[in-house]
Amino acid sequence: MIHEWQLWCETALNRMVVINGPEQRLSGEEADGEEEEEEEGLGSNTQNMPKESVLAMAFQILVPFLLAGFGTVSAGMVLDVVQHWEAFQYITEIFILVPALLGLKGNLEMTLASRLSTAVNVGKMDSPIEKWNLIIGNLALKQVQATVVGFLAAVAAVVLGWIPEGKFQMSHAVLLCSSSVATAFIASLLQGIIMVGVIVGSKKTGINPDNVATPIAASFGDLITLAILAWISQGLYKCLDSYPYVSSLVWAFFMCLTPLWIVISSKHPASRTLLYSGWEPVITAMVISSIGGLILDKTVSDPNLAGIVVYTPVVNGIGGNLVAIQSSRISTHLHFHCAPGEVPNEAKGCYYPCRTFCGTGANHRSAQMLFLSAIPGHLIFLYAIHFMKSGHTTLTPIFMSVYLAAAMLQVLLLLCIADWMVHSIWRSGKDPDSFSIPYLTALGDLLGTALLALSFHFLWLIGDQDSDVGD
């Protein structure tokens, strides 16, 4: 496997030598600092990370980040409304589905964005035939994974909802499976098409897709997924008494499409490999996100803490977006400069948090920028929720301080975990583009929901509470 990766890297580097000339040839040996800076600037037609100025990197990150942030704000406002719908009131396990299905953007969309971004940067999408084979194979693979993970997320929601309460209704279980599978399939298809357009557009306009692809993948992902889940769940719930077989038919229809997507994805070597080996991260991430969903379900069930609903997609989404950018950048850097199984000197030895933020390299600068951008970002989104009169909590200084402390702690932990995890996955000979982002965004969901729940509990205990915090 490692030998095949080395051959692939050599082929990609030779292609770049032909395009850029002998003066930018990679030596394959340890180079001095100046040569390393030039090496990082190699690519086909896009600007690579080390060639970016700080201002250019900040602008490329800021615009998609704000766009994605307002997408999570919209998702929070939608969740704040639909929590009062009959389906959400009587089948509370739907709340367990929410982080798992919203997490699909990290499991699938952001992973697709990271893979295609790296493929663009190393020149694998220069050939039109190779480009479309890669795109179609990855989209088909994503539909297979979305269908299976959607079904497993529903099973996890049924189990996690049944264990503490000891109650089980088959009709509710079938509705959860149908809603989850249909939502995952439709949302994944729509977002995948958008994602391909972003990657191809970034390549043509000279923008580094590592900076823009993952946050744009998340910009409308939460809103689209949550709206589809609410609409399908409510529709199936209304049919539950008069047409109970509708839920089963919906589930069977989408499951029957799975063999078609398997055949299509198996036509391309890269997607065929992931079709067999790419399940571990997405399924593990789904389980982690479902635990976060259980926390959300139990927190929302407390009338004193129901105000958490509108803020959960915002905290989880922002943390996931920021760590996905950093993970994608580190992965691209490793693809350019290290053979699989080898890591830079600074990443060897035991991990320590200062390694992530202290330094002058491109990844250090991006980690610093991403961490600091979370503060103004959260303030903007908090006031956006407040001005739209969606939240049920007054923006008191105590509330904002506790909220920002929880959000910043989440981002700090995620960036540190990303630095350690991406290098560890690369050291093991695996591709971080396919393995790291699902774990990181799922951890973002779990950490964000848990820290936000603790924050609301703390605020309630110290008396910073509103009469309408529980709606």
Side-chain angles (χ1 to χ4, degrees), residues 270-282:
S271 57
R272 182 169 60 247
T273 301
L274 291 173
L275 187 62
Y276 298 105
S277 63
W279 292 100
E280 174 193 341
V282 295

Side-chain angles (χ1 to χ4, degrees), residues 10-154:
E10 291 172 3
T11 303
L13 294 176
N14 290 335
R15 184 187 297 115
M16 286 183 280
V17 167
V18 173
I19 295 174
N20 296 290
E23 68 277 8
Q24 289 182 319
R25 179 180 291 109
L26 292 177
S27 64
E29 304 291 331
E30 289 292 323
D32 57 30
E34 182 177 355
E35 288 174 339
E36 289 179 356
E37 290 296 320
E38 292 179 359
E39 288 170 4
E40 295 183 14
L42 288 173
S44 53
N45 294 318
T46 58
Q47 296 178 355
N48 297 293
M49 287 186 293
K51 287 295 184 180
E52 298 166 334
S53 66
V54 175
L55 184 61
M57 179 172 62
F59 180 76
Q60 290 183 14
I61 290 175
L62 180 62
V63 174
F65 169 68
L66 292 175
L67 183 62
F70 282 110
T72 61
V73 168
S74 302
M77 295 170 62
V78 170
L79 185 58
D80 189 40
V81 172
V82 302
Q83 67 170 320
H84 305 294
W85 289 10
E86 290 180 332
F88 286 78
Q89 290 283 312
Y90 293 102
I91 309 178
T92 59
E93 290 83 2
I94 295 178
F95 284 107
I96 301 178
L97 281 179
V98 170
L101 291 180
L102 297 188
L104 283 178
K105 72 177 185 297
N107 295 353
L108 305 179
E109 270 69 44
M110 288 184 177
T111 302
L112 172 68
S114 183
R115 283 202 300 266
L116 295 183
S117 296
T118 299
V120 167
N121 282 325
V122 300
K124 290 193 69 176
M125 295 181 68
D126 291 341
S127 167
I129 296 178
E130 187 176 8
K131 176 178 70 175
W132 287 110
N133 283 339
L134 191 64
I135 289 172
I136 293 173
N138 275 279
L139 286 178
L141 169 67
K142 197 160 68 69
Q143 292 308 112
V144 176
Q145 293 177 326
T147 304
V148 174
V149 173
F151 173 69
L152 294 178

Side-chain angles (χ1 to χ4, degrees), residues 286-310:
M286 179 273 298
V287 173
I288 296 172
S289 295
S290 296
I291 297 173
L294 180 62
I295 296 173
L296 177 62
D297 182 29
K298 297 306 175 185
T299 305
V300 171
S301 300
D302 185 347
N304 296 324
L305 304 174
I308 191 177
V309 167
V310 71

Side-chain angles (χ1 to χ4, degrees), residues 65 131 187 260 318 331 337:
F65 169 68
K131 176 178 70 175
L260 171 64
I318 290 177
S331 178
H337 297 284

Side-chain angles (χ1 to χ4, degrees), residues 104-314:
L104 283 178
K105 72 177 185 297
N107 295 353
L108 305 179
E109 270 69 44
M110 288 184 177
T111 302
L112 172 68
S114 183
R115 283 202 300 266
L116 295 183
S117 296
T118 299
V120 167
N121 282 325
V122 300
K124 290 193 69 176
M125 295 181 68
D126 291 341
S127 167
I129 296 178
E130 187 176 8
K131 176 178 70 175
W132 287 110
N133 283 339
L134 191 64
I135 289 172
I136 293 173
N138 275 279
L139 286 178
L141 169 67
K142 197 160 68 69
Q143 292 308 112
V144 176
Q145 293 177 326
T147 304
V148 174
V149 173
F151 173 69
L152 294 178
V155 173
V158 172
V159 173
L160 292 175
W162 167 72
I163 289 176
E165 298 180 3
K167 298 178 181 178
F168 177 81
Q169 294 188 43
M170 179 58 71
S171 60
H172 289 184
V174 175
L175 186 147
L176 285 171
C177 290
S178 302
S179 301
S180 182
V181 170
T183 299
F185 183 94
I186 297 171
S188 180
L189 182 61
L190 293 175
Q191 294 174 69
I193 294 172
I194 295 173
M195 200 66 267
V196 169
V198 170
I199 296 292
V200 174
S202 297
K203 182 178 185 298
K204 291 183 177 180
T205 56
I207 297 175
N208 185 355
D210 280 326
N211 290 336
V212 300
T214 50
I216 289 181
S219 58
F220 300 107
D222 287 344
L223 179 59
I224 291 174
T225 302
L226 195 52
I228 294 174
L229 174 64
W231 177 68
I232 292 178
S233 299
Q234 183 68 9
L236 292 178
Y237 181 80
K238 289 183 177 180
C239 296
L240 207 56
D241 293 329
S242 53
Y243 305 101
Y245 54 85
V246 172
S247 295
S248 301
L249 290 177
V250 171
W251 175 79
F253 171 76
F254 286 104
M255 293 300 292
C256 288
L257 292 177
T258 304
L260 171 64
W261 300 115
I262 291 176
V263 171
I264 296 175
S265 62
S266 63
K267 298 295 183 181
H268 191 276
S271 57
R272 182 169 60 247
T273 301
L274 291 173
L275 187 62
Y276 298 105
S277 63
W279 292 100
E280 174 193 341
V282 295
I283 294 177
T284 305
M286 179 273 298
V287 173
I288 296 172
S289 295
S290 296
I291 297 173
L294 180 62
I295 296 173
L296 177 62
D297 182 29
K298 297 306 175 185
T299 305
V300 171
S301 300
D302 185 347
N304 296 324
L305 304 174
I308 191 177
V309 167
V310 71
Y311 300 107
T312 302
V314 179

